[in-house]
């Protein structure tokens, strides 16, 4: 037997990670999870889905989050996202973050960056996160602050990005595409490029978690969204590679064909564990059940639901391109079997674009 | 590699067991990604758990022989190789 201590990628890497992913799925290991430490936020973004904030008194305490971290560690989680609301709004964020890092997770933090003071920057230098993903809604204060609802936020966000980059923290920027910023998108991309960071944006805007459809009015027309996406040749070829890689892979009989409740989970500020952020119809509470018990029992049924007969998505060849998600359907239409007309249209347009340019059309 | 020497796991390395694999994940230092994660096989894991700064490498080799079906020479060579890899990657330290 050869003793092994190899860098994971130094091994026969692809094969190792492929085998591991298969085992993670076969054994239903909760490999990837997110903890929404709070739904409170210091900004008031126009499109926010979590805007009805829970009172701080309803949030898990720092000690309870540590217990949750222990539990998901024991269950096999490797990728852990700390998110919100705005997670840095919690004064005990540094302690929770440190605990997660020292417990051996690859920790990502989603933040608006405005509260990243010197202490936070130092913390990320001492214990580097896997990734800090910062939301940027415009390339100027005029656009960004209008969406964020708080004057001065652009300036603070930008300072945080620069301070993190200066010390070598891995930062990625992301945006939500909406009526209020779609003209600014090329400028945001230029800004990201000039900072040397990766950037992604998403045209999906959700109703709020409590069912308010207000934010949906901010969606840009599907054609505009896809034009902006495909205007960047690099992004277009990423889409094409993705399509080539997964096209023709078996669809499965279940309504859910993603990792939701299979190897991903989401914990809300009050300790409710969901299969993912989007799926709200199965859950258990960390206050009344252990993670292991809940994970084994609470998500079985929803994973067994078959694709309903009338669902047009069955066998659809655009499924890889529309962000297919029955949880999203339920949020938007109150039913997992009524697709989002908006995302369906986007899927079709992406397909047309990729297909026509692949054929010189 | 001195077999009578003692080695200790460095602080800031988290050991994880996930889906039947044993990983070592550095907590501090450079941004951690897949390139920085180490994977151990069962023998590596067995040795890692015993690098407590108290046992000598020789004592660990004896434990390997008792636990695994392996000849003494092979066990010694494997253990030395493994500890050398750990040293090279700053995952353990030799005690004076
Ligand atoms: S939402 Fe539309 S594009 Fe997506 S899988 Fe269903 S039918 Fe196909």
């Amino acid at each position: 037997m050869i003793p092994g201590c190899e860098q994971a990628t130094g091994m026969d890497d692809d094969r190792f990670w492929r085998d591991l992913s298969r085992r993670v799925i076969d054994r239903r290991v909760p490999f990837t999870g997110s903890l929404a430490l709070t739904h409170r936020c210091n900004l008031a973004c126009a499109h926010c889905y979590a805007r009805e904030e829970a009172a701080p008194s309803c949030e898990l305490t720092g000690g309870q989050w540590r217990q949750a971290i222990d539990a998901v560690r024991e269950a096999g989680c490797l990728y852990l996202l700390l998110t919100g609301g705005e997670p840095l709004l919690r004064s005990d964020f540094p302690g929770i973050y440190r605990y997660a890092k020292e417990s051996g997770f690859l920790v990502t933090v989603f933040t608006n960056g405005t509260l990243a003071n010197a202490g936070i920057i130092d913390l990320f230098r001492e214990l580097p996160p896997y990734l800090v993903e910062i939301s940027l809604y415009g390339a100027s204060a005029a656009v960004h602050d209008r969406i964020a609802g708080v004057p001065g936020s652009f300036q603070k966000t930008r300072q945080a990005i620069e301070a993190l980059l200066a010390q070598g923290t891995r930062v990625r920027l992301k945006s939500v595409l909406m009526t209020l910023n779609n003209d600014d998108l090329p400028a945001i991309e230029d800004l990201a490029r000039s900072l040397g960071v990766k950037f992604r944006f998403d045209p999906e805007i959700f109703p709020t978690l409590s069912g308010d459809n207000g934010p949906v009015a901010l969606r840009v027309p599907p054609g505009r969204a896809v034009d902006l996406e495909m205007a960047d040749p690099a992004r277009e070829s990423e889409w094409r590679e993705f399509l080539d890689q997964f096209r023709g892979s078996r669809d499965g009989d279940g309504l859910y064909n993603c990792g939701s409740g299979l190897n991903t989970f989401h914990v809300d500020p009050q300790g409710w564990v969901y299969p993912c952020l989007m799926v709200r119809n199965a859950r258990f509470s960390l206050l009344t059940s252990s993670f292991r018990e809940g994970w084994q029992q609470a998500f079985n049924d929803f994973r067994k639901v078959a694709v309903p007969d009338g669902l047009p998505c069955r066998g659809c060849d655009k499924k890889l391109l529309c962000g297919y998600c029955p949880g999203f359907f339920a949020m938007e239409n109150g039913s997992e079997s009524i697709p989002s007309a908006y995302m369906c249209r986007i899927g079709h347009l992406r397909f047309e674009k990729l297909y026509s340019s692949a054929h010189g059309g | 590699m001195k077999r009578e020497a003692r080695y200790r796991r460095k602080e800031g390395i988290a050991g994880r067991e996930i889906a039947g694999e044993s990983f070592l994940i550095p907590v501090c230092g450079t941004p951690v990604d897949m390139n920085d994660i180490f994977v151990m096989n069962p023998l590596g894991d067995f040795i890692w758990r015993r690098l407590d700064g108290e046992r000598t490498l020789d004592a660990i080799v004896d434990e390997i022989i008792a636990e695994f079906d392996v000849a003494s020479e092979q066990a010694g060579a494997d253990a030395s190789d493994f500890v050398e890899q750990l040293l090279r990657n700053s995952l353990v330290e030799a005690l004076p």
Side-chain angles (χ1 to χ4, degrees), chain A residues 312-313 316 318-319 322 324 329 339 344 348:
Chain A
C313 309
C316 174
K318 325 283 184 312
K319 207 175 204 172
C322 68
Y324 169 82
F329 299 169
C344 185
H348 279 74

Side-chain angles (χ1 to χ4, degrees), chain A residues 1-9 11 16-17 20 23-24 27 29 31 72-79 98 101-106 125-130 168-170, chain B residues 14-21 23-45 47 68 74 78-79 81-82 85-86 89 91:
Chain A
M1 175 183 281
I2 300 163
C5 174
E6 309 244 5
Q7 274 180 296
T9 49
M11 304 186 51
F16 174 79
W17 290 109
L20 182 69
R23 239 174 306 148
V24 159
R27 298 184 190 181
V29 177
F31 197 58
V72 302
R73 179 187 199 275
E74 209 255 323
C77 175
L78 178 62
Y79 289 95
R98 180 178 289 278
K101 277 288 300 179
E102 289 175 350
S103 302
F105 291 91
L106 302 188
R125 185 176 56 235
E126 182 198 343
L127 300 171
Y130 181 70
T169 304
R170 187 189 293 131
Chain B
R16 298 287 319 270
E17 269 192 56
I18 298 172
E21 295 289 345
F23 295 90
L24 295 180
I25 302 176
V27 172
C28 310
T30 52
V32 167
D33 62 20
M34 286 309 174
N35 296 310
D36 304 311
I37 295 184
F38 298 85
V39 187
M40 298 183 293
N41 71 13
L43 178 56
D45 186 51
I47 299 170
F68 296 88
Q74 184 66 46
D78 284 354
D81 279 357
F82 178 62
Q85 287 186 64
L86 294 174
N89 289 293
L91 298 166

Side-chain angles (χ1 to χ4, degrees), chain A residues 251 311-325 329 338-348:
Chain A
D251 204 8
L311 188 69
C313 309
R314 185 196 282 274
C316 174
D317 59 357
K318 325 283 184 312
K319 207 175 204 172
L320 290 168
L321 297 170
C322 68
Y324 169 82
C325 171
F329 299 169
I338 306 176
S340 157
Y342 179 75
M343 289 311 296
C344 185
R345 182 75 192 130
I346 286 199
H348 279 74

